Amino acid sequence: MEYNYLPHTDIEVSKICLGTMTWGRQNTEEEGHEQMDYALSQGVNFFDTAELYPIPAQAERYALTETIIGNWFKKTGKRNEIVLATKIAGKAPFTKFIRETGFSRNSIVEAVNGSLQRLQTDYIDLYQLHWPERSTNYFGQRGYQPDPRDHWEDNIHQVLETLRDLIKEGKIRQVGLSNETPWGTMRFLEEGKVHPSLPRMITIQNPYSLLNRLFEVGLSEISMRSKIGLLAYSPLGFGTLSGKYLEGKPPEKARITLFPNYNRYSGDNAVAATRAYKQIADKYNLSLTQMALAFVTSRPFLTSNIIGATSMEQLKENLGSIDVVLTPEILEDIEAVHNHIPNPAP
């Protein structure tokens, strides 16, 4: 395994992070525990979760993933071996069963305390805002479109004040963003710069893969110049970049098979790009899965690559990508496809 430091900290994390959003729906608690055991044995010390998980979100399954992780901590006693990240759910129609008050002080305090209880821990290493309160381009929306129904008032100072107080209480150590835009990222960073007593956002968890390199437009420069590290999610595009959907018949129990509305990586251009990337992988005798993951892990703005799996076979292949080195020739071929079919999935 290889490691990076979370920016501006002495917290060392594995360059592959174990994602958990299927535990409690597509995976049982026993399977989640098996994944954590194996990932830790392979040098993975970074787990990412959220109060919203498992997804798709359901009231009757609310925060089951955090509960599964908490039970593993209790069973194994290995909390101190893990850098733990979780998130507060943002305001949205599909989170009304959680709360409708966004990132108000009471909401953040309630969310943190709930996560601590379920995770059976006294502290969270990295606490993230799952998506902006503003109406903006997140979750599959390619560009910003002004929404006349968006009545958001800038509360970023108040959000950071609440997070600062929770840091002082020892409940969280560091804070980060997720599904954020260049404007939002800089707004948080500038607020912290103007008011040094406020905490600094150190990471941004956004989608990034061979099918979606939109992070490179604006955010990558912010990431590198301001040292806010990318935690890349969906590095396989809901499993599309494993190539398993190219055969015509969707595999049983696969994510897109079970939840067809998760189709942002399934359009004609995305399929064409996936086929082209598969040809590159075949040319160099590589697994498409491992080539796609190795590409993400190799990016200079990457802090950690969040992989997820619903089987141990998938997990082992995903973790094995850390040993794959992409030569200049492979990267040149990848760029040729990207130039021909740039960012086919939002």
Side-chain angles (χ1 to χ4, degrees):
M1 185 51 60
E2 298 176 10
Y3 300 86
N4 280 326
Y5 285 100
L6 292 179
H8 309 280
T9 79
D10 60 357
I11 302 172
E12 195 172 36
V13 297
S14 48
K15 289 182 74 171
I16 294 184
C17 172
L18 183 62
T20 63
M21 70 180 184
T22 61
W23 303 351
R25 187 150 188 180
Q26 288 178 262
N27 288 105
T28 65
E29 177 164 330
E30 181 181 7
E31 289 169 339
H33 288 190
E34 184 182 15
Q35 288 193 28
M36 286 184 277
D37 287 338
Y38 182 77
L40 183 60
S41 76
Q42 299 303 301
V44 174
N45 73 337
F46 193 18
F47 295 175
D48 177 75
T49 191
E51 66 167 340
L52 187 68
Y53 297 166
I55 59 172
Q58 292 178 310
E60 59 270 27
R61 297 177 188 268
Y62 168 59
L64 268 179
T65 306
E66 287 189 329
T67 299
I68 288 169
I69 295 170
N71 289 341
W72 184 82
F73 285 148
K74 182 179 180 180
K75 180 177 75 172
T76 64
K78 294 182 177 179
R79 170 65 185 95
N80 64 344
E81 298 182 39
I82 301 302
V83 178
L84 177 64
T86 192
K87 315 176 196 74
I88 177 175
K91 193 174 182 180
F94 57 89
T95 59
K96 287 183 178 179
F97 67 86
I98 301 176
R99 69 185 70 83
E100 298 187 54
T101 47
F103 297 150
S104 68
R105 181 178 184 85
N106 288 342
S107 293
I108 295 173
V109 171
E110 174 191 270
V112 167
N113 287 335
S115 289
L116 289 170
Q117 182 178 12
R118 290 184 294 269
L119 291 162
Q120 302 189 53
T121 184
D122 296 326
Y123 66 97
I124 295 161
D125 295 290
L126 177 65
Y127 197 67
Q128 304 155 100
L129 308 178
H130 206 152
W131 60 88
E133 291 182 282
R134 316 178 312 278
S135 178
T136 188
N137 49 313
Y138 56 84
F139 291 142
Q141 184 177 331
R142 189 180 297 276
Y144 173 67
Q145 295 294 330
D147 184 349
R149 299 167 297 176
D150 181 14
H151 302 297
W152 176 74
E153 295 182 5
D154 194 324
N155 63 344
I156 286 173
H157 186 93
Q158 290 76 24
V159 169
L160 288 172
E161 280 187 327
T162 303
L163 294 171
R164 176 198 63 197
D165 293 345
L166 288 163
I167 291 172
K168 287 181 177 179
E169 291 177 35
K171 292 184 176 181
I172 57 180
R173 296 176 68 192
Q174 301 291 338
V175 290
L177 299 167
S178 182
N179 295 293
E180 192 50 275
T181 65
W183 183 88
T185 303
M186 290 304 297
R187 178 69 188 85
F188 272 99
L189 292 177
E190 287 302 308
E191 191 69 24
K193 185 179 293 186
V194 172
H195 302 279
S197 67
L198 298 178
R200 190 189 198 286
M201 293 296 182
I202 63 167
T203 56
I204 176 171
Q205 184 175 148
N206 274 29
Y208 185 77
S209 70
L210 289 175
L211 298 178
N212 180 349
R213 293 169 58 177
L214 292 171
F215 188 86
E216 296 175 10
V217 183
L219 274 169
S220 62
E221 184 175 12
I222 293 171
S223 173
M224 297 190 72
R225 293 190 186 277
S226 298
K227 294 183 171 53
I228 178 167
L230 173 63
L231 307 180
Y233 79 80
S234 288
L236 291 177
F238 297 157
T240 300
L241 284 164
S242 68
K244 63 186 176 184
Y245 298 106
L246 294 177
E247 304 305 320
K249 183 180 179 181
E252 292 183 16
K253 298 183 179 180
R255 187 160 195 78
I256 300 174
T257 306
L258 294 173
F259 313 114
N261 59 312
Y262 281 39
N263 59 4
R264 74 185 78 153
Y265 298 99
S266 304
D268 291 345
N269 285 341
V271 172
T274 301
R275 289 190 187 280
Y277 290 126
K278 177 70 164 60
Q279 290 175 354
I280 296 171
D282 291 345
K283 175 181 175 181
Y284 294 100
N285 296 313
L286 293 173
S287 145
L288 173 58
T289 295
Q290 292 191 339
M291 184 185 83
L293 291 174
F295 176 80
V296 173
T297 305
S298 70
R299 300 300 87 191
F301 42 78
L302 190 282
T303 292
S304 193
N305 185 358
I306 304 173
I307 58 98
T310 53
S311 71
M312 287 300 297
E313 181 182 7
Q314 290 174 346
L315 181 61
K316 290 175 181 179
E317 182 176 21
N318 291 352
L319 292 178
S321 68
I322 196 68
D323 297 320
V324 174
V325 177
L326 302 182
T327 65
E329 292 76 17
I330 297 173
L331 292 172
E332 184 177 344
D333 287 354
I334 286 173
E335 287 304 310
V337 174
H338 178 63
N339 290 335
H340 181 61
I341 314 176
N343 298 315

